[in-house]
Amino acid sequence: LIVDKVAFDPNPLTSSTASILFRIKVKDTRVYVVRNAIVFIRSTPLLTTGGDNSPTATDGWVAYQLVPRAPLELRTGFSIQFFAKAYRKGDDPLAGISGTRLVQVATKG
């Protein structure tokens, strides 16, 4: 599995308390979209809640509303990083079919 596309709204982040729409598209190595892949997303360090193990739709996309755990410190020129993992339900978390990606969204203070 491949975490193919990632989209943030807003981008860049300009509010330290508003939720963040996070969309992820999953494909396979043959470039076909994958439905029912489970997607996990987490900010690193842990600054938001949400993003827990939802399946992709028939178009390969899944969307999450991530909510800041506390007011985020937003400074121009900085970013917040996220770890994304797409995997097949029921597989061993340390093995099996999966794809991961580190992504970031810019902040503007």
Side-chain angles (χ1 to χ4, degrees), residues 19-102:
S19 64
I20 306 161
L21 176 63
F22 190 94
R23 296 183 67 228
I24 300 171
K25 186 173 189 178
V26 178
K27 290 186 175 180
D28 64 15
T29 56
R30 297 171 300 163
V31 194
Y32 292 109
V33 296
V34 177
R35 68 175 178 197
N36 293 323
I38 306 300
V39 177
F40 170 85
I41 184 77
R42 187 71 74 227
S43 59
T44 57
L46 188 56
L47 301 172
T48 61
T49 61
D52 292 332
N53 306 311
S54 290
T56 55
T58 56
D59 62 357
W61 286 94
V62 64
Y64 289 111
Q65 285 290 126
L66 303 178
V67 179
R69 292 175 60 121
L72 300 175
E73 182 179 345
L74 302 180
R75 294 190 285 176
T76 301
F78 286 81
S79 299
I80 297 175
Q81 290 74 36
F82 292 85
F83 170 78
K85 180 180 181 180
Y87 62 96
R88 185 171 64 179
K89 185 176 183 175
D91 279 0
D92 182 328
L94 298 177
I97 297 172
S98 67
T100 61
R101 186 171 176 180
L102 290 173

